Amino acid sequence: MKKKRRIAILTGGGDCPGINAVIRAVTKKAILQYDMEVIGIEDGYHGVIHNRCRKLEYNDVSGILTLGGTILGTSKTANPYRYAIKKGNKIEFKDMSKTAIENINRLDIECLVCIGGDGTLGIAYKLFRDGIPVMGLPKTIDNDIRGTDITFGFDSAVYIATEGIDRIHTTAQSHHRVMILEVMGHNAGWIALHSGIAGGGDIILIPEIAYDVDIIAEKVRERNRKGKRFSIVVVAEGAKPKGGDIVIQRIVKESSDPIRLGGIGFVLGEQIEKMTGIETRTVVMGHLQRGGSPTPFDRVLATRLGTKAVDMIENREFGYMVGVKGDSLAKVPLKDVAKGPRTVPLGDPLIEAARSVDTCFGD
Ligand code: F6P
């Protein structure tokens, strides 16, 4: 009997709505159109290092289109090139790439499909350089991957954050308060910018534009003078004051990117209340932005990206990420993706649009 062709899939980094939709798209198309076998690797690159994987059958991916999270599990710390090993209270980093590569080769696959953000895709590029045929798919709520206009998960996170803003709007109005909503996004302001505009935030603070708290306080006072006795501030977790620094929530020592942001909303809240005399409350959206069912947009995007990836594998085009450029899908070399995250350009038309409807960026 002819041996079946095989591919493997892993999901790395923070989860987000739409990952299962991509796993489904890749697996169904590979099985149905190209008669391939699909192996699911568990917990991102952990599974590669410890040989944890299982065969994905059609039925395993049927019914998961709308499901949040990832059926394969993920990891934000596993990096074969810098693998954290706990020794008592200490953590040592070891290069486990040789083991990872041997394990991948043993799977006898045509391609390793890596679904992830810039960290996961950066590792995928290293594996590609080390001889593994890989394909990347851009997953993150942060929308900060180079080479693509949009990542899946972002639209869902913006939807959730916008709902948060809508809900605090009414309570801010009723109580004549300043309400601050802190959103995720790592070092990029995409979620804050989009949800801030969608939710009509009066002040939007993003990492790319250092803010001046005096300007924020004056904006709140000015609104009060005009009879608007409440204000909504949408702040990205990575926002920082001019000449100041980010607020760190925790350090995850075993991670290659150890800083976890969070808490800027509370710092700002205290300052605004003190400076304006207006009662101020902070809400942190946190991981709510990563949970639940993907939006229709993300389900469609995930299906487009996943199925395109399988066609590229069939054409033996490896070392790419499938990205989005305008209305079309694009083949983006992983080499370019690995150059680092994509932040909001200062000339982004959305910033201009927001300014022209009286949104303050604190600058
Ligand atoms: O990259 C996704 C993301 O949710 C970021 O927006 C955030 O900074 C980070 O992950 C949070 O990480 P963790 O899940 O480790 O708390």
Side-chain angles (χ1 to χ4, degrees), residues 80-95:
Y81 293 87
R82 197 170 175 272
Y83 194 69
I85 295 168
K86 274 197 181 153
K87 291 216 168 135
N89 283 338
K90 279 198 177 155
I91 290 167
E92 280 176 15
F93 291 95
K94 208 173 156 195
D95 184 350

Side-chain angles (χ1 to χ4, degrees), residues 140-145 149 151 154-155 157-158 161-162 165 181-199 203-211 233-240 246 261 264 289 341-346 348-352 354 359-361:
T140 169
I141 62 164
D142 302 337
N143 200 34
D144 62 348
I145 301 182
D149 293 349
T151 60
F154 174 62
D155 186 67
V158 169
T162 304
I165 302 170
L181 192 88
E182 180 181 308
V183 298
M184 280 186 167
H186 204 211
N187 294 317
W190 295 108
I191 299 178
L193 182 61
H194 282 247
S195 63
I197 291 174
I203 297 156
I204 299 176
L205 306 174
I206 60 174
E208 295 82 353
I209 303 176
Y211 65 80
V233 183
V234 180
V235 58
E237 60 181 0
K240 50 180 179 296
I246 46 167
L261 299 166
I264 183 72
Q289 293 157 103
R342 180 182 77 108
T343 52
V344 179
L346 290 181
D348 194 283
L350 266 188
I351 296 180
E352 263 334 289
T359 307
C360 168
F361 284 86

Side-chain angles (χ1 to χ4, degrees), residues 2 9 31 38 49 52 93 113 132 170 196 198 226 260 289 308 325 336:
K2 206 175 138 220
I9 314 179
I31 292 174
V38 182
I49 292 161
R52 280 199 276 113
F93 291 95
V113 180
I132 303 292
T170 48
K226 287 181 178 164
R260 297 292 179 270
Q289 293 157 103
K308 173 76 177 172
K325 283 278 160 69
D336 297 340

